Amino acid sequence: PPPRSHSSRHTLNNAVTYSNSLFKNSIGIRGLQAICAALKINGTLRTLSLECNEIRDEGVALVTEALATNSSLERLTLSEIQMGDRGAESIAGLLLTNTTLGNTTSPPSRLLRNPITKIGMRALLQALQSNITLQTFRIPECSPESDEIARLLADPVRAAWASGEAD
């Protein structure tokens, strides 16, 4: 049988596809390259889950590059993909320019259960402060530096309250 990524590439190229879950699909870099090529031209896909595939930072870079030109994807799930700080920094760059990701009331974009440290979280938080369309964003769970990440999250909130900007 053909590899699953072949079927996914066909589905992503289909003009009527609105959602695609590739959960636990053993996607490698070659399969992800095909998916990303389709993402660059697909104008109807609204949700994509690459959850539980070990695409790592290299794969995240491919996805964020593809989404730089995609104006239809609203929800992206990248949980449990073994993404570290470089992948988080790639997503942070995307959040600074992409105005459709997160502009939805559907379930949130997610990065849960990835080994992201305070370096990657800092990049994500800085990007989130500039992103005005993202409505919900779930941060990594069980980070080895969870206390420090909580402090990073609290600092902008404290600053907003202190300046009177938070209502």
Side-chain angles (χ1 to χ4, degrees):
R4 290 180 180 184
S5 61
H6 171 76
S7 149
S8 301
R9 180 179 52 212
H10 173 72
T11 302
L12 286 170
N13 281 325
N14 183 340
V16 296
T17 300
Y18 296 105
S19 179
N20 202 339
S21 176
L22 300 172
F23 177 84
K24 278 190 177 179
N25 220 331
S26 301
I27 297 170
I29 291 299
R30 282 185 35 182
L32 192 59
Q33 287 170 334
I35 291 166
C36 289
L39 277 175
K40 289 179 181 180
I41 60 171
N42 182 292
T44 59
L45 189 68
R46 300 287 183 256
T47 65
L48 176 63
S49 174
L50 295 170
E51 189 171 10
C52 295
N53 288 287
E54 291 190 19
I55 62 173
R56 304 181 186 275
D57 291 337
E58 179 184 1
V60 173
L62 291 172
V63 170
T64 57
E65 178 188 333
L67 291 178
T69 58
N70 180 298
S71 62
S72 65
L73 196 72
E74 297 173 346
R75 178 177 179 237
L76 177 64
T77 301
L78 296 174
S79 297
E80 297 185 56
I81 60 167
Q82 299 302 309
M83 174 183 63
D85 292 335
R86 285 189 342 203
E89 289 168 349
S90 293
I91 291 173
L94 177 67
L95 291 174
L96 291 172
T97 59
N98 186 295
T99 59
T100 56
L101 191 61
N103 188 15
T104 180
T105 56
S106 69
S109 296
R110 298 185 197 141
L111 300 178
L112 302 176
R113 293 179 289 281
N114 282 298
I116 300 171
T117 70
K118 63 183 175 184
I119 295 166
M121 282 305 300
R122 186 171 283 119
L124 286 168
L125 291 172
Q126 288 172 345
L128 287 171
Q129 289 175 337
S130 299
N131 184 297
I132 60 171
T133 58
L134 195 63
Q135 294 178 8
T136 307
F137 189 77
R138 299 234 171 120
I139 61 168
E141 295 173 342
C142 305
S143 169
E145 300 173 335
S146 57
D147 288 343
E148 178 63 22
I149 289 171
R151 280 191 287 278
L152 288 172
L153 285 170
D155 288 344
V157 173
R158 270 193 227 109
W161 279 104
S163 68
E165 293 176 16
D167 292 324

